Amino acid sequence: MSAAIEIAGVSKVYDGGVRAVDTVAMDIRPGEFFSLLGPSGCGKTTTLRMIAGFDTPSSGEIRLDGADITHVPAHKRDMAMVFQNYALFPHRTVAENVAFGLRMRKVDKATIAAKVKAALAMVELAGMEDRRPAQLSGGQQQRVALARAIVISPRVLLCDEPLGALDKKLRQQMQFELKQLQKNLGVTLVFVTHDQEEALAMSDRIAVMNAGRVEQVGTPVEIYDQPRTRFVADFIGDTNIFRGQCVTMDQGTGIAVGNSLALALPRPVAAAQGEVVSVALRPEKITIAAADQSETRSSGTSARGTVESTNFLGGAVLYRIVLDGGQRVLAQQPNSGAGPLHTPGQAVALGWRPADLVILED
Amino acid sequence: MPGSSAPRVNSLALLILPSALLFALFFFLPIGLMAVMSVLTGNPVVMPNVAFTTKHYARMGNDSYYLEVISTTLRIGLWTTLVALVIGYPLAHWMARIKSRTGHALLLMAVLAPMLTGIVVRTFAWMTLLSDKGVINQILISLGLIARPLQLMYNEAGIIIGLVHIYVPFMVLTLTGVIGRIDERLEQAAENLGASPWRAFLEVTLPLSLPGILAGSLLVFALAISAYVTPILLGGFQIMTLPILIYQQISANFNVGFAAALGMVLLVISLSLVIAYNHVLGLVSGQRELQ
Ligand SMILES: Nc1ncnc2c1ncn2[C@@H]1O[C@H](COP(=O)(O)OP(=O)(O)OP(=O)(O)O)[C@@H](O)[C@H]1O
Ligand SMILES: [Mg+2]
């Protein structure tokens, strides 16, 4: 009963010419946990509102299980939305809020009572039936909003940063519960967030958006390990981005960054000699060794530099290193307990495998 | 030390003194005087030996004419309020929800513009429309829809038309403020859960705008029952309302005591409405007090 959503070349231009969403295309599969991830103002909410039917696309089509729903009014779409601010009805009790969708579907009273009870039990709010939304904490309100949405067994669940207002602990707990719930119900879930960790942890697939466009759609692993564009590489996690001119090296194609750093590329690129190419390298893919004893350790490219700062993160250590050529690089090492930390001012040698370099589109 | 234990006057509290004085002088003093006059046999300034009396109130209660006047006044007030609400609510909703700034400005201007013209002028304008030889009757007759002119003024209907026109802006402005503060996403949430737009309005927006409906109605009702010019001109002295009666008692009969008693009736009606309003508001919003 979960549904597939196709978004085909959809744009939204607001009066005044703001192009909030620009020819977005994506296929959301039935039963999938699909995240829209991007910085503030990139068009996530607008996209979600068009799926829900609160906004009409300026062009393009939205299809639900193949049927064009672009102009179907919101109340006939059989989707349920959890709003960013919850949008609970302040004049209704918790139970009445949850019952609302069932009442609109003309479900009989006894069934409503049973379903409301079950839904509230599922979000662990049993016993709060007669409270008003204002008498609940933020986390409880959020769960009421969730219960109100899932109780109607919608074909699609739309969530607009539903965990945004929660503290870290509750947020992690709710992330887990939401994910469980979605799996158990088998519902298609479109999840909006600007928190990349949240998106990586929860999603089956992620669409990374920037300035109204979709930059990349993929699984969390693809998005993290194989970012397609500079924006994606930069937005997701910490990353080192090198820009340099395409050159021919002993090992094949490479790029020259500044005068003293040459990086071998993992595969040939279409770019001609001299053209500028960007590559990304994750901090945790870099190995660090004290300068004197390294040399032979890694088979790949290496560079020398000086530790600028050492950030102890608990499970890992993050180093900021200035290469001899002047470039700044982030390198992260697991806190494995082998040997002392490198201290600021220390000369170090960095190594990485060429395969860990990701060639980016601009 | 004796001096230091004396209660210190908060110097900020002194700042409200002028307005408090002004309020006492121009608000409570006249009302108090009116209340006193309504239970005296005459004016104490010119008649040295006045006595306490309830005869003014007794006169009202004993003569069905005066009760008639009071009920006419209330009836006109109620109808004016009701019609102003029915016309004003959709306008206010439109104004509160309109997206375009120009649209909002135009609507606001349309609502406010009539208020820039004097009440007398507007009432005369209505007379040229509503009278036997007025625009409406002439058109209907020339179209052959009616044979003789319709009685559109010099009756309660005419007064109500005039009053609605004058007081609808108060209703609209009060309602717009309240509706504008209702989160649009609440309606969208209702629609998202399967309510048609009309149903979403009935389930969400209407109950949440109840305080505005009450406040606007109270305002319009209080203004309508104390209106003087419009009932005189559009009623042509055929319809007697409390304010007209009060004016007559003072200017023609020089019966200030009776006029004061009538004034007290008007005041008590308005006052009890305000109290009822607060009570009802407490009931509908008590559930939301924690918001
Ligand atoms: N009603 C509107 N009229 C005009 N422009 C709008 C309107 N709503 C949104 N926009 C613009 O469209 C763009 C996308 O807005 P949107 O709300 O979709 O962003 P978002 O990705 O949800 O951001 P956030 O993470 O801050 O919620 C923004 O530049 C915003 O200013
Ligand atoms: Mg948003």
Side-chain angles (χ1 to χ4, degrees), chain B residues 29-44 50-60 246 249-250 255-268:
Chain B
L29 193 65
I31 288 178
L33 280 179
M34 185 168 81
V36 171
M37 293 291 285
S38 74
V39 291
L40 292 180
T41 51
N43 187 340
V50 291
F52 173 82
T53 178
T54 56
K55 70 171 183 186
H56 300 308
Y57 291 100
R59 181 177 168 195
M60 255 186 274
I246 292 172
Q249 290 301 319
I250 294 177
N255 193 343
V256 181
F258 187 52
L262 290 169
M264 288 309 290
V265 170
L266 204 55
L267 182 73
V268 167

Side-chain angles (χ1 to χ4, degrees), chain A residues 45 84 160-161:
Chain A
T45 297
Q84 189 159 4
D160 193 355
E161 307 203 24

Side-chain angles (χ1 to χ4, degrees), chain B:
Chain B
M1 282 196 293
S4 64
S5 65
R8 293 241 315 269
V9 178
N10 185 344
S11 56
L12 274 180
L14 289 175
L15 290 178
I16 66 160
L17 205 63
S19 74
L21 274 178
L22 202 74
F23 206 62
L25 202 62
F26 290 101
F27 195 75
F28 285 113
L29 193 65
I31 288 178
L33 280 179
M34 185 168 81
V36 171
M37 293 291 285
S38 74
V39 291
L40 292 180
T41 51
N43 187 340
V45 180
V46 290
M47 285 185 21
N49 47 359
V50 291
F52 173 82
T53 178
T54 56
K55 70 171 183 186
H56 300 308
Y57 291 100
R59 181 177 168 195
M60 255 186 274
N62 293 338
D63 193 333
S64 68
Y65 173 71
Y66 298 119
L67 296 179
E68 188 78 19
V69 170
I70 293 174
S71 77
T72 305
T73 310
L74 295 183
R75 193 165 52 240
I76 290 175
L78 280 176
W79 275 109
T80 304
T81 308
L82 202 68
V83 178
L85 182 61
V86 169
I87 294 175
Y89 197 102
L91 254 175
H93 193 273
W94 188 17
M95 216 158 104
R97 291 279 184 255
I98 193 165
K99 293 278 186 302
S100 114
R101 278 167 178 273
T102 357
H104 186 267
L106 285 176
L107 272 175
L108 191 66
M109 237 148 67
V111 169
L112 290 182
M115 293 176 81
L116 301 176
T117 324
I119 289 181
V120 178
V121 175
R122 279 190 279 166
T123 305
F124 272 117
W126 275 111
M127 291 171 77
T128 64
L129 287 173
L130 299 176
S131 70
D132 285 359
K133 293 205 159 52
V135 176
I136 294 174
N137 274 319
Q138 290 299 319
I139 288 176
L140 289 179
I141 290 173
S142 66
L143 287 176
L145 292 174
I146 50 171
R148 277 178 295 134
L150 294 172
Q151 172 87 11
L152 295 175
M153 53 185 271
Y154 302 136
N155 58 13
E156 285 180 24
I159 297 178
I160 291 167
I161 291 175
L163 286 178
V164 164
H165 178 226
I166 291 166
Y167 294 132
V168 118
F170 294 87
M171 184 67 91
V172 172
L173 294 180
T174 313
L175 282 170
T176 306
V178 174
I179 298 174
R181 262 178 275 125
I182 301 174
D183 191 342
E184 228 178 326
R185 282 171 292 192
L186 291 178
E187 278 168 66
Q188 290 172 348
E191 284 179 41
N192 176 250
L193 292 166
S196 64
W198 174 242
R199 189 78 196 266
F201 168 77
L202 290 182
E203 296 271 354
V204 177
T205 316
L206 191 61
L208 289 177
S209 59
L210 212 54
I213 294 178
L214 285 171
S217 300
L218 184 67
L219 191 62
V220 170
F221 185 80
L223 288 169
I225 61 171
S226 52
Y228 175 71
V229 174
T230 308
I232 278 200
L233 294 179
L234 284 170
F237 291 102
Q238 309 292 309
I239 309 292
M240 186 58 77
T241 65
L242 266 177
I244 302 176
L245 187 60
I246 292 172
Y247 182 73
Q248 273 187 353
Q249 290 301 319
I250 294 177
S251 65
N253 301 2
F254 304 107
N255 193 343
V256 181
F258 187 52
L262 290 169
M264 288 309 290
V265 170
L266 204 55
L267 182 73
V268 167
I269 293 172
S270 299
L271 216 58
S272 39
L273 277 169
V274 172
I275 293 168
Y277 164 78
N278 275 326
H279 188 67
V280 173
L281 202 64
L283 285 184
V284 297
S285 62
Q287 14 177 284
R288 278 180 280 149
E289 65 214 352
L290 287 169
Q291 251 190 346

Side-chain angles (χ1 to χ4, degrees), chain A residues 12-21 38-49 55 84 160-161 192-194 209 212, chain B residues 99:
Chain A
K12 176 71 186 178
V13 184
Y14 283 112
D15 341 320
V18 183
R19 194 168 267 273
V21 171
S40 188
C42 71
K44 308 180 295 288
T45 297
T46 307
T47 306
L48 203 67
R49 289 174 56 81
D55 281 330
Q84 189 159 4
D160 193 355
E161 307 203 24
V192 164
T193 180
H194 62 252
M209 293 183 71
Chain B
K99 293 278 186 302

